[in-house]
Amino acid sequence: MNCIIFDLEWNEIVPYQLAMQNEIGFPLSGEIIEIGAVRMTGDGDLSDRFDRLVKPSFLRRMHPHVKRLTGITWEMLQEEDDFKTVMTEFNRWCGDDALLLSWGTSDRQVLAENLRLHHLPRTWLKPWYDAQKIFGRYCLDTYEQYGLARAAEYMGVAMADDAHRAVNDAAYTAQICERLPLRRAIREYDFHRNLGPLEFRPTVEFQYFDGYRDSQSAWADPAIWEIYLPDQDAPLALTEPERLRRHTLLALAMDHLGKRYLVRWKTYQYKKGRGTVHGVARETYRAVPLLIAWYRDVAERNTRRRRLHEAKSNPAFR
């Protein structure tokens, strides 16, 4: 078993740069500035490590929070190789038979976004497993999200004051994984459930709307519901939006030629001065059968929930 336990550090977009995602073409959580990983072999050896800083290509300023948390400065990155070069080395170091593990979903999401940002193959993502979920399932019999430090304390893994650097966090995650029934967990883990249906799919339209005082004001703006594709004079006709998560809506759409699309809206918020500013990112994709089935599953699930809620509020239910 060739398990690669990896961790990433990434530079975040400072609030006033959020609109730059319109130029990128999709929501970007951050640009990777460090890749750290530990190889865990079948005999439990953790000596083989990968540790590289990455010179950023898009974001031109370090987010103050990232600088404080990691200790990585802008100057430290300027002599490093770019993401494509480092990721090529990392992919070669992992090997074709590698299985990737990370603590939680964030690192995998950011890795997927950066592969897309730099037009690199999606196959480099490799089969992936959530070590945080495995820990919760086999140690706590729950899906509560334990942070890495809390889980390390629970498992008797001593952490020094060197956390929040990629290779160190990867090593601590690997030591936790050593104490888990990892082979059994991987056999049982259905990683296909965690592959987002929209990953690596090109957007046919993307727009970020910013400057709202609250989420209600954002959803009330007619502009976020009017979708004009390039070279089309009429907006897309939308189905009723369905809630995917608390801050995310989905809808199917159709143009005047009968072509179908799937649209996703996600709300964001950030601090500005003494207040909070809200925004909405809208992505439009061609509705291949997989996306249509996904939307219908979400709609059916929401319908069942609404019916159950209505039934429970009916006095006869009691």
Side-chain angles (χ1 to χ4, degrees), residues 39-69:
R39 188 191 310 277
M40 189 166 70
T41 60
D43 58 4
D45 180 32
L46 302 177
S47 61
D48 193 8
R49 300 188 176 193
F50 184 94
D51 185 15
R52 289 292 306 275
L53 292 172
V54 181
K55 182 179 181 179
S57 302
F58 290 87
L59 303 183
R60 298 302 179 184
R61 179 178 175 181
M62 285 291 289
H63 194 290
H65 172 70
V66 175
K67 182 178 178 180
R68 287 193 302 270
L69 188 68

Side-chain angles (χ1 to χ4, degrees), residues 124-183:
W124 287 10
L125 199 55
K126 303 184 184 299
W128 168 85
Y129 303 86
D130 185 349
Q132 184 185 57
K133 182 178 290 185
I134 293 173
F135 165 79
R137 171 66 179 85
Y138 287 95
C139 294
L140 309 174
D141 196 26
T142 178
Y143 290 103
E144 179 183 355
Q145 293 186 339
Y146 266 46
L148 181 59
R150 188 181 175 194
E153 181 181 7
Y154 182 93
M155 298 295 284
V157 174
M159 293 183 68
D161 295 329
D162 57 1
H164 303 299
R165 288 300 298 267
V167 73
N168 298 330
D169 284 353
Y172 293 133
T173 303
Q175 291 177 57
I176 293 173
C177 288
E178 270 191 308
R179 294 159 167 80
L180 297 172
L182 200 56
R183 287 181 179 274

Side-chain angles (χ1 to χ4, degrees), residues 94-284:
C94 288
D96 295 335
D97 61 341
L99 306 177
L100 297 182
L101 290 95
S102 63
W103 193 264
T105 61
S106 301
D107 292 85
R108 185 183 183 281
Q109 175 185 333
V110 172
L111 179 58
E113 291 176 0
N114 278 251
L115 288 174
R116 178 178 179 183
L117 181 66
H118 292 270
H119 307 289
L120 295 175
R122 65 173 299 174
T123 53
W124 287 10
L125 199 55
K126 303 184 184 299
W128 168 85
Y129 303 86
D130 185 349
Q132 184 185 57
K133 182 178 290 185
I134 293 173
F135 165 79
R137 171 66 179 85
Y138 287 95
C139 294
L140 309 174
D141 196 26
T142 178
Y143 290 103
E144 179 183 355
Q145 293 186 339
Y146 266 46
L148 181 59
R150 188 181 175 194
E153 181 181 7
Y154 182 93
M155 298 295 284
V157 174
M159 293 183 68
D161 295 329
D162 57 1
H164 303 299
R165 288 300 298 267
V167 73
N168 298 330
D169 284 353
Y172 293 133
T173 303
Q175 291 177 57
I176 293 173
C177 288
E178 270 191 308
R179 294 159 167 80
L180 297 172
L182 200 56
R183 287 181 179 274
R184 174 185 168 191
I186 286 177
R187 285 197 301 268
E188 296 176 354
Y189 196 109
D190 180 12
F191 71 89
H192 291 289
R193 284 190 300 111
N194 297 279
L195 297 180
L198 298 182
E199 277 187 353
F200 290 96
R201 295 186 184 276
T203 55
V204 296
E205 184 267 354
F206 174 86
Q207 187 67 37
Y208 187 87
F209 303 87
D210 197 10
Y212 303 102
R213 66 178 182 274
D214 52 41
S215 58
Q216 289 78 13
S217 302
W219 294 127
D221 184 359
I224 72 170
W225 308 108
E226 294 181 355
I227 307 173
Y228 288 86
L229 298 185
D231 303 324
Q232 292 195 8
D233 297 328
L236 298 182
L238 296 172
T239 62
E240 185 70 24
E242 294 288 345
R243 187 170 300 280
L244 176 63
R245 299 183 185 89
R246 181 180 178 185
H247 303 292
T248 306
L249 298 180
L250 294 177
L252 293 178
M254 184 177 294
D255 65 14
H256 67 288
L257 297 176
K259 293 182 179 179
R260 293 196 287 184
Y261 304 85
L262 183 131
V263 187
R264 178 172 65 174
W265 297 264
K266 295 176 66 176
T267 60
Y268 296 86
Q269 66 181 54
Y270 58 90
K271 295 291 184 181
K272 186 175 183 180
R274 296 184 178 180
T276 302
V277 178
H278 293 252
V280 177
R282 184 182 70 203
E283 307 156 77
T284 304

Side-chain angles (χ1 to χ4, degrees), residues 297 299-310:
D297 286 343
E300 291 175 4
R301 181 193 64 195
N302 290 342
T303 298
R304 290 194 298 269
R305 287 178 176 174
R306 285 191 292 266
R307 288 174 178 171
L308 180 60
H309 178 74
E310 292 170 359

